[in-house]
Amino acid sequence: MSVEVMDFASAEASAQRIVRADGSDPGVLPGAGARMWSHGELRPKAVLILHGYSHTPAQVASLSERFFSHGYNVLAPRAPLHGRVRRDQHARVTAAALRSHAVDAWTMASGLGVDVGVVGISGGAVLATWLATRPALQVRRMLVLAPFYDPHPRRATPAFTAAMRILFRPGLLPDRVSDSGYSYTALAQYLSIAAAIRSVPKDTRLSQVAVALSAADDAVHPETALAVPAAIAAAAGASFSSLLIPAVAELGHDILSPTTLGRHVERVHSRYLQLFEGHSVPC
């Protein structure tokens, strides 16, 4: 994989272009475009934050602002076909477009700081993990929130998950949309990327890997969500930490949006920053 290396000025200018392009695109919903929080100079720390499937950068804005207030330059791009006026367009996203989007975003983010990492939630966590396991990209830190490596066993059997990747991803079966508005074909794109993460290279620069998950999450497989980041950390020789949010908190799959976190937002977002930086976090 050939990766362009950007200096700060080029990285910031490129990020500003995608922010402006989204802001002027009538096909992008107001407030749904890419965002950047820049201190106007190369910082010791920067982070790329990736939103989840069917969401937009608005989902990660509050956490991004917390990172920014702690000295980080932050980039939160909009995933392909997400945040469009035609809200069903995200059903047409492809694995190739998602991977290309993730690499382009990382190329910009990696020029914004010296020690640079990636944070992602759900489908965005799949992309974050994929980036972190590409040695050429030299990701230093990874935090994944409710990573969608596999569906929860109550949602789909292993056989059905495999069928989604084999049949829905290439369009061999016509798309189906769940009651929540999730496209099976789109979900299969993320699952196909996740399936390629199982092979963990040993020559990454990862120093810190962390994961957070809600015990009440019924969308992602709880064992895989914890096991994949732990295996990546072990293979890379990186430190590993995890946070299991107790079921009593009554948080489901979206453990990031302020609207879902409610009164928990300040405490939870603070713990995510601590996890990313490698500090111990109480349950």
Side-chain angles (χ1 to χ4, degrees):
M1 177 185 292
S2 177
V3 182
E4 180 183 359
V5 178
M6 286 188 174
D7 59 26
F8 172 78
S10 299
E12 185 183 48
S14 295
Q16 287 174 339
R17 279 195 293 272
I18 67 168
V19 171
R20 287 195 300 268
D22 276 1
S24 62
D25 186 344
V28 175
L29 288 166
R35 305 188 189 190
M36 177 177 62
W37 291 259
S38 173
H39 291 275
E41 63 181 4
L42 181 72
R43 302 294 288 189
K45 302 178 290 186
V47 61
L48 170 66
I49 305 187
L50 302 170
H51 65 78
Y53 166 62
S54 81
H55 284 271
T56 74
Q59 182 188 29
V60 306
S62 180
L63 182 64
S64 298
E65 289 165 1
R66 179 172 292 272
F67 272 86
F68 180 69
S69 70
H70 282 76
Y72 287 78
N73 284 331
V74 185
L75 177 63
R78 178 179 58 85
L81 298 177
H82 285 62
R84 305 292 298 180
V85 172
R86 287 189 54 190
R87 295 174 184 268
D88 60 346
Q89 286 193 328
H90 57 70
R92 295 167 39 223
V93 73
T94 66
L98 289 167
R99 287 191 297 264
S100 178
H101 153 74
V103 171
D104 289 346
W106 174 256
T107 300
M108 289 180 279
S110 63
L112 300 177
V114 177
D115 187 329
V116 189
V118 61
V119 177
I121 179 167
S122 190
V126 171
L127 300 181
T129 310
W130 182 80
L131 288 171
T133 52
R134 307 272 76 76
L137 301 183
Q138 301 295 290
V139 177
R140 295 295 302 275
R141 299 172 184 272
M142 179 185 84
L143 167 62
V144 288
L145 311 173
F148 184 64
Y149 304 131
D150 288 307
H152 195 285
R154 289 198 297 268
R155 297 272 184 159
T157 65
F160 184 77
T161 301
M164 286 183 68
R165 290 196 304 265
I166 296 169
L167 300 175
F168 282 102
R169 185 192 62 79
L172 296 178
L173 284 181
D175 194 18
R176 292 172 56 187
V177 178
S178 72
D179 293 339
S180 302
Y182 298 150
S183 156
Y184 280 30
T185 300
L187 291 174
Q189 310 304 312
Y190 288 96
L191 290 173
S192 69
I193 296 172
I197 292 171
R198 299 300 191 270
S199 177
V200 182
K202 297 182 179 180
D203 50 354
T204 67
R205 290 185 64 201
L206 276 173
S207 62
Q208 173 62 34
V209 175
V211 57
L213 181 70
S214 170
D217 189 340
D218 65 351
V220 304
H221 198 301
E223 294 180 5
T224 309
L226 294 171
V228 171
I232 290 169
S239 60
F240 175 72
S241 52
S242 63
L243 171 64
L244 182 62
I245 300 172
V248 69
E250 298 182 340
L251 298 177
H253 181 54
D254 186 352
I255 54 173
L256 181 57
S257 301
T259 52
T260 59
L261 292 178
R263 60 187 174 87
H264 302 290
V265 64
E266 288 295 324
R267 182 171 61 175
V268 172
H269 283 186
S270 176
R271 291 181 178 181
Y272 291 163
L273 178 59
Q274 291 174 318
L275 279 171
F276 183 80
E277 294 186 333
H279 304 306
S280 59
V281 177
C283 295

